[in-house]
Amino acid sequence: MTRTPVWNAFPLAAAAASVALWIVQTVCGKQHIPFTTFADYLIEACFALSLATGALAVITLRAAHATVPGWGRLGDAGAVLYGLGQALILIPATVTLVAADELPVPQTLFLPGFALWAAGMVLVAVGAYRAGVLPRPVAVLLPASFVLMVSLGEAGALVVAATWAVIGVRLRGGPPRNTEPVSE
């Protein structure tokens, strides 16, 4: 019996964190800024956790493709941009959690963070499609999951959860199916 590397659990952790965020947002309602209730802290903490686990999950996705032809520099660049974008958004989320209010300077990181995250998602999708580790329809749907996450509001967390859950299950399922070189 072969053991699955521990880091393969990060996509499933990202899925669980996104579900937790959706549950907390649904149960607690609208977040108040500045924070007035414990629920406000809980929502922001779940948001920060979903960002942190998402960054770790994309690192896992990149590691799963490290030895598979087709991922290449494009996939690597996408993983870096994706992780950097989430890290930039994690900074103001963490500051907001600690300060219980949105401070103006960290909030300026949201727009570049989302832009990097979106660009990274597209490049990760291209790399994943070419490598064939994930089912190709999942790779094609990666950018759509980002658009749905942004456009669906609170329910967007469920799209992120579903995406990471599918990826996590696939990565835990064994070695990559496609090990044939893909022409560049």
Side-chain angles (χ1 to χ4, degrees), residues 7 59-72 76 131 133 176:
W7 48 264
I59 291 169
T60 299
L61 186 59
R62 191 268 169 230
H65 288 86
T67 60
V68 180
W71 176 261
D76 285 345
V133 172

Short mmCIF file of all heavy atoms in Angstrom, two decimals, residues 7 59-72 76 131 133 176:
data_model
loop_
_atom_site.label_atom_id
_atom_site.label_comp_id
_atom_site.label_asym_id
_atom_site.label_seq_id
_atom_site.Cartn_x
_atom_site.Cartn_y
_atom_site.Cartn_z
N TRP A 7 0.85 16.62 2.00
CA TRP A 7 0.47 17.87 1.36
C TRP A 7 -0.69 17.70 0.41
O TRP A 7 -1.34 18.66 0.03
CB TRP A 7 1.65 18.53 0.66
CG TRP A 7 2.48 17.66 -0.22
CD1 TRP A 7 3.65 17.03 0.12
CD2 TRP A 7 2.24 17.29 -1.58
NE1 TRP A 7 4.13 16.30 -0.94
CE2 TRP A 7 3.29 16.45 -2.00
CE3 TRP A 7 1.23 17.59 -2.48
CZ2 TRP A 7 3.35 15.90 -3.27
CZ3 TRP A 7 1.30 17.05 -3.76
CH2 TRP A 7 2.35 16.23 -4.13
N ILE A 59 -0.18 25.27 -4.22
CA ILE A 59 1.18 24.74 -4.12
C ILE A 59 1.15 23.22 -4.28
O ILE A 59 1.99 22.63 -4.96
CB ILE A 59 1.83 25.15 -2.77
CG1 ILE A 59 2.10 26.66 -2.76
CG2 ILE A 59 3.11 24.36 -2.51
CD1 ILE A 59 2.49 27.21 -1.40
N THR A 60 0.16 22.58 -3.68
CA THR A 60 -0.01 21.13 -3.83
C THR A 60 -0.28 20.77 -5.28
O THR A 60 0.27 19.81 -5.81
CB THR A 60 -1.17 20.65 -2.94
OG1 THR A 60 -0.87 20.92 -1.59
CG2 THR A 60 -1.43 19.17 -3.13
N LEU A 61 -1.14 21.54 -5.93
CA LEU A 61 -1.46 21.29 -7.34
C LEU A 61 -0.21 21.40 -8.20
O LEU A 61 0.05 20.57 -9.07
CB LEU A 61 -2.53 22.27 -7.81
CG LEU A 61 -3.09 22.07 -9.21
CD1 LEU A 61 -3.71 20.69 -9.35
CD2 LEU A 61 -4.12 23.14 -9.51
N ARG A 62 0.60 22.40 -7.93
CA ARG A 62 1.86 22.58 -8.66
C ARG A 62 2.80 21.40 -8.40
O ARG A 62 3.41 20.86 -9.30
CB ARG A 62 2.52 23.90 -8.25
CG ARG A 62 3.69 24.29 -9.16
CD ARG A 62 4.97 23.74 -8.59
NE ARG A 62 6.06 23.87 -9.54
CZ ARG A 62 6.86 22.87 -9.86
NH1 ARG A 62 6.67 21.68 -9.37
NH2 ARG A 62 7.86 23.05 -10.66
N ALA A 63 2.89 20.97 -7.15
CA ALA A 63 3.77 19.85 -6.80
C ALA A 63 3.32 18.55 -7.48
O ALA A 63 4.15 17.74 -7.89
CB ALA A 63 3.82 19.66 -5.29
N ALA A 64 2.02 18.37 -7.63
CA ALA A 64 1.51 17.17 -8.28
C ALA A 64 1.86 17.15 -9.76
O ALA A 64 1.89 16.09 -10.38
CB ALA A 64 -0.01 17.10 -8.11
N HIS A 65 2.12 18.32 -10.32
CA HIS A 65 2.47 18.42 -11.74
C HIS A 65 3.98 18.53 -11.98
O HIS A 65 4.40 18.62 -13.13
CB HIS A 65 1.79 19.65 -12.35
CG HIS A 65 0.31 19.48 -12.51
ND1 HIS A 65 -0.56 19.77 -11.50
CD2 HIS A 65 -0.42 19.06 -13.56
CE1 HIS A 65 -1.79 19.53 -11.92
NE2 HIS A 65 -1.74 19.10 -13.16
N ALA A 66 4.77 18.54 -10.94
CA ALA A 66 6.21 18.80 -11.06
C ALA A 66 6.91 17.84 -12.02
O ALA A 66 7.81 18.26 -12.75
CB ALA A 66 6.87 18.73 -9.68
N THR A 67 6.52 16.60 -12.05
CA THR A 67 7.21 15.63 -12.88
C THR A 67 6.45 15.26 -14.15
O THR A 67 6.86 14.37 -14.88
CB THR A 67 7.46 14.34 -12.07
OG1 THR A 67 6.20 13.80 -11.66
CG2 THR A 67 8.33 14.62 -10.86
N VAL A 68 5.34 15.95 -14.39
CA VAL A 68 4.50 15.60 -15.53
C VAL A 68 4.73 16.58 -16.67
O VAL A 68 4.62 17.79 -16.49
CB VAL A 68 3.01 15.63 -15.12
CG1 VAL A 68 2.12 15.28 -16.31
CG2 VAL A 68 2.76 14.68 -13.97
N PRO A 69 5.07 16.06 -17.85
CA PRO A 69 5.24 16.97 -18.99
C PRO A 69 3.93 17.70 -19.31
O PRO A 69 2.85 17.16 -19.13
CB PRO A 69 5.60 16.02 -20.14
CG PRO A 69 6.05 14.77 -19.50
CD PRO A 69 5.33 14.67 -18.20
N GLY A 70 4.06 18.91 -19.77
CA GLY A 70 2.89 19.68 -20.16
C GLY A 70 2.58 20.84 -19.23
O GLY A 70 2.08 21.86 -19.65
N TRP A 71 2.87 20.68 -17.95
CA TRP A 71 2.61 21.75 -16.98
C TRP A 71 3.50 22.94 -17.30
O TRP A 71 3.02 24.04 -17.48
CB TRP A 71 2.84 21.22 -15.57
CG TRP A 71 2.70 22.23 -14.48
CD1 TRP A 71 3.72 22.89 -13.86
CD2 TRP A 71 1.50 22.69 -13.87
NE1 TRP A 71 3.22 23.73 -12.89
CE2 TRP A 71 1.86 23.63 -12.87
CE3 TRP A 71 0.15 22.41 -14.05
CZ2 TRP A 71 0.92 24.28 -12.07
CZ3 TRP A 71 -0.79 23.05 -13.26
CH2 TRP A 71 -0.39 23.97 -12.29
N GLY A 72 4.78 22.70 -17.32
CA GLY A 72 5.77 23.67 -17.77
C GLY A 72 5.83 24.98 -17.01
O GLY A 72 5.29 25.13 -15.92
N ASP A 76 3.78 26.79 -13.80
CA ASP A 76 4.54 27.31 -12.66
C ASP A 76 4.23 28.79 -12.43
O ASP A 76 4.02 29.23 -11.30
CB ASP A 76 6.04 27.13 -12.87
CG ASP A 76 6.48 25.69 -12.68
OD1 ASP A 76 5.71 24.88 -12.12
OD2 ASP A 76 7.62 25.37 -13.09
N ALA A 131 -1.17 19.09 -18.95
CA ALA A 131 -0.53 17.99 -18.24
C ALA A 131 -1.44 16.77 -18.11
O ALA A 131 -0.96 15.64 -18.11
CB ALA A 131 -0.06 18.45 -16.86
N VAL A 133 -3.15 15.73 -15.51
CA VAL A 133 -3.24 15.10 -14.19
C VAL A 133 -4.68 15.16 -13.70
O VAL A 133 -5.21 14.19 -13.17
CB VAL A 133 -2.29 15.79 -13.18
CG1 VAL A 133 -2.53 15.29 -11.77
CG2 VAL A 133 -0.85 15.56 -13.59
N PRO A 176 -0.47 10.38 -11.78
CA PRO A 176 -1.07 11.02 -12.94
C PRO A 176 -1.36 10.01 -14.05
O PRO A 176 -0.61 9.06 -14.24
CB PRO A 176 -0.02 12.03 -13.39
CG PRO A 176 0.94 12.15 -12.28
CD PRO A 176 0.82 10.91 -11.46
#
